[in-house]
Amino acid sequence: MAPTFHPFLQHQLELYELLQQLHQQQPELALHWRAPGPGLLKRHLVNLPRLRWVPEADCHLLVAPAQELLRNPPHSPRPLLLSDPFPIAPQALTALLLEGYRSTASPRLLEPLHGQPTPNAGLRILVLTNLYPPQELGGYGRSIFDFSSHLRLLGHKVQVLSSDAPYLGGNTNQDQQVDRGLQLLGSYEGGLHPITDPQERERRTQHNRQQLQIQIQEFQPQACLVGNLDMVGPEPLHQLSHQRIPCWHHHGFSQPAFPADQLPPPHLYQPVANSHFSARAIAAQLPAHSPIPVIYPGAQTHLFSSLNPTPLTEGLRIGFAGLLIGAKGAHVLLEALYILKQQQLPFECVLAGGSLFDDYPRQLVQYVEQQGLSAQVRFVGKLDRHQLRGFFQQCNVFVFPSTWEEPFGISQVEALAAGLLVVSSGTGGAGETVHDDINGRRFQPSNSSDLAQVLRDISRNPQRHEPLRQRARKLAQSHFDTGRETAKLAALIHAGVHRSPASTLFV
């Protein structure tokens, strides 16, 4: 069978999905992978017990009968070698794999498509952001950390310039290629506290200009990935622009970071949105910088894809994870739980998350105590992503009750990847990941009665909702994985840097 090539199947994730199907459908095949570097497939090995990491394959996929290959590798039947990425239709791939392990002919090598831009060109990328994990407040900082990590996996050299905020916790001794020399124009300790003294603001601004200049001279970046510049200001963008270093500013919110008159010209500054909802909002305010590309923050789906959450038939095990601030809507969830309690419907609920302000979390705890929910509702504080694994394992439903127009909502994707049934208000960009009765459930924003009705429906009809969890996990892996989105971001930066002249970078 002659293979049918498709340009859109050029990412490791598509190949992984095809291998996963073969792994389930063809038990006689052993699948062995040796990629050019530690990439997406290597992280997914835990989900494919018969997929092994073997250096002998020399950057190719090796397919052969499982038992014979393991017993006597040198004398296994002729393998089929497939290059990475693998642009081929699923049916043709299955046929070629089966032919490859049964055939006594020479191995066949399928080359990838030529002439396509690759993100593996080894660019020098400076990452500029106000806070950098483990010192972070929420999803924005984590997404910039993830982009930085995956850009390195794709072969780029990445240097991070950020601030040092020890009051946010975390061990920074393991930092690699991270300079925390910036000085914020304020503090996040106990809330938002910008510096009002103009002389001190100017001193810190000058200090930051010097720190950035050091990185420019020593690292000589070809591009800059910009994250959150709150408490930093737009000055670094102009400093980079004056030295002809193009910037891609990934926005964690659904509005421009700065007014149009405070931004560099479009040919050296490109806003990037974290959802289509955010892209429309940003483009409306920055028409000169449109169109706005969309790169989802995504989630590290591999961290959660091996979990087996509690079945829905065992009752509601509800989870919430996010900042404990009013806009995230934890109070809406608690009001819905009180309704369920009045209706004598059994449930358990765990709320995870830190806070910016003490009053709101205190009010939540007080409400739980006053309404007699203490035996069913627990608060566990801020969790890192590895701790979230254990958190998700205890749950089978994840409620995302945000009351504001969410730019995206990373915690939703993490819960989808973990196999939880996500019940979402679907506000703003959050509506792009959870679709009612397709891969989750939706309820009317800020409407605790409607949320209670949805939770009651799940409790009474668990079997009808189980397929939604399966579709949800697949969608998270195929459309919202951070590795996949970073490859798109890298291709965007690569194309801009290598397009000439510099004045037409983003045209």
Side-chain angles (χ1 to χ4, degrees):
M1 178 184 295
T4 303
F5 291 93
H6 293 279
F8 59 86
L9 288 177
Q10 296 181 38
H11 191 272
Q12 286 192 31
L13 186 57
E14 276 78 8
L15 179 55
Y16 161 71
E17 291 171 344
L18 299 184
L19 294 179
Q20 191 173 41
Q21 295 175 19
L22 285 174
H23 188 272
Q24 298 169 348
Q25 299 169 2
Q26 303 291 339
E28 70 271 30
L29 292 180
L31 308 176
H32 296 257
W33 178 256
R34 174 70 167 89
L40 184 63
L41 278 172
K42 185 177 181 180
R43 302 199 311 273
H44 279 295
L45 292 182
V46 66
N47 300 322
L48 303 178
R50 287 184 284 107
L51 190 60
R52 297 290 182 263
W53 187 257
V54 286
E56 294 80 9
D58 191 23
C59 299
H60 294 90
L61 176 71
L62 173 64
V63 181
Q67 296 303 318
E68 184 167 356
L69 180 63
L70 294 177
R71 286 197 308 267
N72 197 358
H75 300 289
S76 62
R78 298 285 185 176
L80 179 65
L81 300 179
L82 308 174
S83 57
D84 171 33
F86 188 76
I88 194 169
Q91 298 84 356
L93 174 62
T94 303
L96 286 171
L97 292 180
L98 293 175
E99 176 186 345
Y101 97 86
R102 291 172 181 156
S103 174
T104 58
S106 300
R108 298 176 62 181
L109 180 63
L110 300 179
E111 297 289 349
L113 294 179
H114 296 289
Q116 299 293 330
T118 171
N120 298 321
L123 295 175
R124 295 184 304 278
I125 301 175
L126 177 66
V127 174
L128 179 66
T129 190
N130 62 353
L131 298 172
Y132 193 75
Q135 299 174 355
E136 43 89 14
L137 291 171
Y140 199 172
R142 291 184 182 183
S143 66
I144 296 300
F145 175 87
D146 290 341
F147 285 143
S148 301
S149 300
H150 283 277
L151 285 170
R152 291 191 179 104
L153 292 177
L154 290 172
H156 301 286
K157 295 181 180 179
V158 177
Q159 171 66 43
V160 178
L161 178 59
S162 187
S163 70
D164 190 15
Y167 52 85
L168 293 177
N171 181 7
T172 61
N173 293 331
Q174 303 301 318
D175 280 353
Q176 294 183 354
Q177 297 299 109
V178 178
D179 179 354
R180 297 183 182 271
L182 290 183
Q183 294 182 354
L184 297 181
L185 306 181
S187 171
Y188 292 97
E189 188 171 12
L192 303 176
H193 304 289
I195 293 174
T196 57
D197 181 359
Q199 292 184 340
E200 178 61 17
R201 289 181 63 89
E202 178 59 25
R203 187 196 68 78
R204 295 194 180 197
T205 299
Q206 290 291 343
H207 170 84
N208 292 341
R209 184 176 293 114
Q210 295 171 1
Q211 293 298 307
L212 177 56
Q213 190 59 36
I214 291 173
Q215 290 297 337
I216 292 174
Q217 293 175 347
E218 295 183 354
F219 185 59
Q220 298 184 354
Q222 297 167 279
C224 183
L225 172 62
V226 182
N228 193 346
L229 291 186
D230 289 349
M231 300 281 197
V232 175
E235 289 81 8
L237 300 177
H238 294 281
Q239 186 175 351
L240 291 162
S241 174
H242 291 328
Q243 303 197 41
R244 313 298 293 173
I245 300 172
C247 297
W248 283 261
H249 192 167
H250 194 271
H251 285 60
F253 306 107
S254 53
Q255 65 272 353
F258 307 104
D261 59 1
Q262 295 183 22
L263 294 175
H267 63 271
L268 285 169
Y269 174 82
Q270 174 64 68
V272 180
N274 63 355
S275 67
H276 292 281
F277 168 82
S278 296
R280 291 190 294 271
I282 295 172
Q285 298 183 58
L286 301 179
H289 292 79
S290 298
I292 309 296
V294 175
I295 302 292
Y296 287 119
Q300 300 275 35
T301 61
H302 66 282
L303 293 177
F304 312 107
S305 57
S306 61
L307 297 179
N308 294 303
T310 306
L312 293 172
T313 53
E314 296 186 12
L316 294 179
R317 305 289 185 268
I318 302 167
F320 167 94
L323 274 175
L324 294 181
I325 57 177
K328 294 296 184 180
H331 60 284
V332 178
L333 171 58
L334 294 182
E335 291 169 358
L337 296 181
Y338 177 63
I339 296 174
L340 297 184
K341 178 180 175 62
Q342 289 180 310
Q343 297 172 348
Q344 298 184 341
L345 191 149
F347 65 87
E348 295 179 6
C349 180
V350 181
L351 292 90
S355 65
L356 287 176
F357 310 101
D358 292 333
D359 286 346
Y360 183 75
R362 192 180 303 116
Q363 292 171 4
L364 296 178
V365 173
Q366 185 178 16
Y367 180 86
V368 168
E369 294 173 349
Q370 290 176 344
Q371 304 302 330
L373 294 169
S374 299
Q376 296 161 285
V377 177
R378 293 185 296 123
F379 295 86
V380 295
K382 183 179 178 181
L383 303 178
D384 62 32
R385 277 183 296 199
H386 292 280
Q387 292 172 321
L388 278 175
R389 281 179 52 86
F391 171 80
F392 287 143
Q393 186 72 51
Q394 302 172 37
C395 306
N396 52 23
V397 173
F398 183 84
V399 176
F400 189 86
S402 188
T403 61
W404 72 307
E405 298 289 356
E406 280 282 349
F408 180 65
I410 295 176
S411 62
Q412 283 193 137
V413 181
E414 293 174 332
L416 294 173
L420 275 62
L421 177 61
V422 176
V423 179
S424 174
S425 60
T427 60
E432 297 175 29
T433 58
V434 177
H435 307 277
D436 198 32
D437 277 330
I438 296 177
N439 70 322
R441 292 295 307 272
R442 295 271 286 271
F443 69 96
Q444 298 173 10
S446 301
N447 191 328
S448 56
S449 297
D450 192 42
L451 173 56
Q453 175 61 41
V454 172
L455 293 173
R456 183 166 53 250
D457 185 31
I458 295 170
S459 177
R460 293 176 177 176
N461 302 281
Q463 296 295 349
R464 181 172 72 85
H465 289 86
E466 284 293 348
L468 303 185
R469 300 207 299 174
Q470 300 170 13
R471 294 190 204 123
R473 173 169 275 175
K474 183 176 181 180
L475 181 67
Q477 294 173 344
S478 63
H479 289 78
F480 299 108
D481 182 82
T482 299
R484 176 192 183 95
E485 293 304 298
T486 305
K488 291 164 57 178
L489 176 63
L492 187 70
I493 296 175
H494 179 272
V497 168
H498 288 88
R499 187 177 297 138
S500 59
S503 61
T504 63
L505 276 174
F506 302 129
V507 175

